[in-house]
């Protein structure tokens, strides 16, 4: 053994000293070296065990990860689910292109400039919206004449409850296509076709026989409806026992009498079948005294009526008594709108006689009827004052006595509107002192010739906190107020709930605002609820305008301030000095 070790040492030393020259070995030595190498590798047991354990762990983790990936993969046995996911992705891409967010229940595409191609693509996507409940493609005028592309796919969204197609330039063919498809949406309860002139002139016949319960709301505002359409509408209403809202406003030919056509009288007689009707709007429909007579005969069958709008029908003047004798049947009536109807003293007397029977009334609008100004005292006395919320009297030629009578109702009103009534000038304190804190929400005093003292008193009321709940303040067209009046108002505070402020000047006038603008700038941070500020025709420098915009820069406030009011500093100074040199009137 020693000779072997010595030999191995000599071999090693000779190998190293030989400068790489190899020494010849016997076959036995070569075999022994190979055996030693194998033994040395197998003797490394700790490292071998560690590597084997890590290998086992890695192998197990790889198997688990593989199983998880397989679980995440869509099952080949459920291709329908995969198709739905792809379809929903297409819906999202389509809506994103139009600047809208995807909603599986509400498809709102109003004001999107949709084309016929867009409408066709939308129709193909309906199959991926099985939970859809509302479709609104209003104000897309380029889809007129192409509605069939959409309606032919409505059977894929049979759960639709609301369909809105306002101002889409629909024509008679579109109405027919819609009528044929309504049977595919049996749950429809709101249909709005307003502002489509092509729906009228007889085209409404295309819906006859296709509207059924549970339809609750039908809106046909400004659709050029005529007497023939009124007859067709009467046939529809007869079949709609669930109808709650019928709005056919702004159809001036609707109530015209045409020989041989039932027209409006046929429509009003059909209302007896709509006992659930709670809202009837007939604004600007050309109503006459005869039309009121026909309408009055149906009111006894409408016990649920809560809102009746007959406004802007100047042709009913002198005939209101033919309706008021039937109004007593509407024991639940809450809102009656008769503004701009040219009511005569006889009409107003007839109205006053029936008011005590309308015990649920909360809103009465007789504004823009000049004769109303002379009967405010008996009118207010006949109203259920403690529950009244709105009594607009703008453009009613109020007198001093009638303005005083209004103060009796003011403590209960949430909205006060005496715009265009010059009697308010110098007497605003009488009205303001009658207002109750935390009740009044709107105060409209446009074109009332308000004085600086009026605004000072308004500022004092604000300072007391009596207008802390006020949301709308309209002081427009009151150019006679001096700078001190505006400054006192904006410095008063107490208007933290204010959302809408209008202090614009009347057209063709202008005035500088530099004297009171700092007070407004200081008040803006306190007006936390502000959403609209109108300063039309007030002159300012560019720097002042930028200061106000800077105060509003991080808030969603609509600033209405025309660019014509921008003036250079020198021009503004010259105008101010010129006004100061002019004598007071």
């Amino acid at each position: 053994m020693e000779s072997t070790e010595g030999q191995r040492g000599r071999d090693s030393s000779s190998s190293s000293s030989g400068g790489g020259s190899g020494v010849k070995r016997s076959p036995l030595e070569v075999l022994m070296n190979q055996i030693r190498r194998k033994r040395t590798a197998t003797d490394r047991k700790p490292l071998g065990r560690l590597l084997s354990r890590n290998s086992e762990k890695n192998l197990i983790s790889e198997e688990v990860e593989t199983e998880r990936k397989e679980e995440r993969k869509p099952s080949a046995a459920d291709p329908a689910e995969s198709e739905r996911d792809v379809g929903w992705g297409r819906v999202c891409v389509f809506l994103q292109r139009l600047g809208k967010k995807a909603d599986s229940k509400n498809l709102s595409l109003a004001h999107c400039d949709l084309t016929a191609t867009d409408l066709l693509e939308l129709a193909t996507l309906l199959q991926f919206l099985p939970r859809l409940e509302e479709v609104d493609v209003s104000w897309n005028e380029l889809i007129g004449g192409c509605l069939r592309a959409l309606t032919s796919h409505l059977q894929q969204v049979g759960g639709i409850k609301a369909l809105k197609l306002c101002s889409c330039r629909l024509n008679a063919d579109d109405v027919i296509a819609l009528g044929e498809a309504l049977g595919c949406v049996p749950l429809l309860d709101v249909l709005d076709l307003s502002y489509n002139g092509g729906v009228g002139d007889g085209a409404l016949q295309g819906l006859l026989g296709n509207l059924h319960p549970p339809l609750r709301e039908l809106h046909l505002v400004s659709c050029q409806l005529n007497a023939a359409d009124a007859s067709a509408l009467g046939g529809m209403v007869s079949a709609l026992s669930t109808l709650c809202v019928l709005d056919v406003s702004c159809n001036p030919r609707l109530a015209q009498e045409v020989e041989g056509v039932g027209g409006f009288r046929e429509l009003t007689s059909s209302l007896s079948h709509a006992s659930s009707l709670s809202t009837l709007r007939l604004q600007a429909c050309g109503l006459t005294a005869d039309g009121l007579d026909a309408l009055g005969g149906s009111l006894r069958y409408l016990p649920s009526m809560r809102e009746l709008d007959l406004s802007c029908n100047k042709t009913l003047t002198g005939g209101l008594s033919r309706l008021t004798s039937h109004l007593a049947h509407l024991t639940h009536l809450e809102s009656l709108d008769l503004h701009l109807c040219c009511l005569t003293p006889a009409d107003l007397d007839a109205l006053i006689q029936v008011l005590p029977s309308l015990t649920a009334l909360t809103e009465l609008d007789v504004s823009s009827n000049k004769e109303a100004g002379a009967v405010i005292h008996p009118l207010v006395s006949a109203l259920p004052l403690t529950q009244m919320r709105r009594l607009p009297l703008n453009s009613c030629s109020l007198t001093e006595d009638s303005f005083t009578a209004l103060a009796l109702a003011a403590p209960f009103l949430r909205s006060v509107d005496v715009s265009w009534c010059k009697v308010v000038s110098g007497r605003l304190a009488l009205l303001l002192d009658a207002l109750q804190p935390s009740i009044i929400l709107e105060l409209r005093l446009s074109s009332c010739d308000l004085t600086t003292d009026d605004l000072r008193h308004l500022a004092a009321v604000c300072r007391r906190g009596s207008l802390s709940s006020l949301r709308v303040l309209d002081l427009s067209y009151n150019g006679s107020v001096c700078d001190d009046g505006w400054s006192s108002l904006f410095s008063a505070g107490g208007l933290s709930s204010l959302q809408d402020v209008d202090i614009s000047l009347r057209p063709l006038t202008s005035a500088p605002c530099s004297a009171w603008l700092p007070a407004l700038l200081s008040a803006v941070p306190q007006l936390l609820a502000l959403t609209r500020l109108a300063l039309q025709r007030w002159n300012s420098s560019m720097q002042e305008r930028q200061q106000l915009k800077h105060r509003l820069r991080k808030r969603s406030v609509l600033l209405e301030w025309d660019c014509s009011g921008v003036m250079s500093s020198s021009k503004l100074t010259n105008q101010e000095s010129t006004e100061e040199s002019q004598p007071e009137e």
Side-chain angles (χ1 to χ4, degrees), residues 133-189:
E133 294 183 358
E134 180 174 341
V135 176
D136 185 357
V137 292
S138 301
W139 310 100
N140 289 290
E141 297 186 346
L142 298 178
I143 66 175
C146 307
L147 193 62
R148 189 176 293 276
L150 179 66
T151 58
S152 60
H153 291 76
L154 286 183
Q155 73 274 8
Q156 297 171 341
V157 282
I160 289 181
K161 296 180 180 179
L163 181 58
K164 300 177 182 180
L165 297 162
C166 304
S167 190
C168 291
R169 290 193 177 181
L170 303 184
N171 57 28
D173 291 337
D174 293 325
V175 176
I176 293 173
L178 176 61
E180 294 173 350
L182 286 178
C184 301
V185 283
L187 301 180
L188 189 69
D189 62 8

Side-chain angles (χ1 to χ4, degrees), residues 218-295:
L218 180 58
H219 301 268
L220 297 167
V221 179
S222 189
C223 286
Q224 299 295 326
L225 303 183
N226 56 22
D229 296 311
S231 298
L233 186 58
M236 298 177 204
V237 172
S238 298
L240 296 174
S241 57
T242 57
L243 191 65
C244 294
V245 178
L246 178 60
D247 190 351
V248 288
S249 299
C250 304
N251 289 288
R253 296 183 295 159
L254 185 70
Q256 287 183 354
E257 295 184 3
V258 178
E259 187 175 354
V261 179
F264 187 72
R265 190 170 293 274
E266 189 172 339
L267 170 60
T268 54
S269 63
S270 69
L271 296 178
S272 60
H273 301 282
S275 58
S276 299
L277 195 65
S278 60
T279 300
L280 178 60
R281 301 188 184 119
L282 296 168
Q283 182 189 94
C285 285
L287 288 178
T288 62
D290 291 337
L292 290 180
D293 193 27
L295 176 62

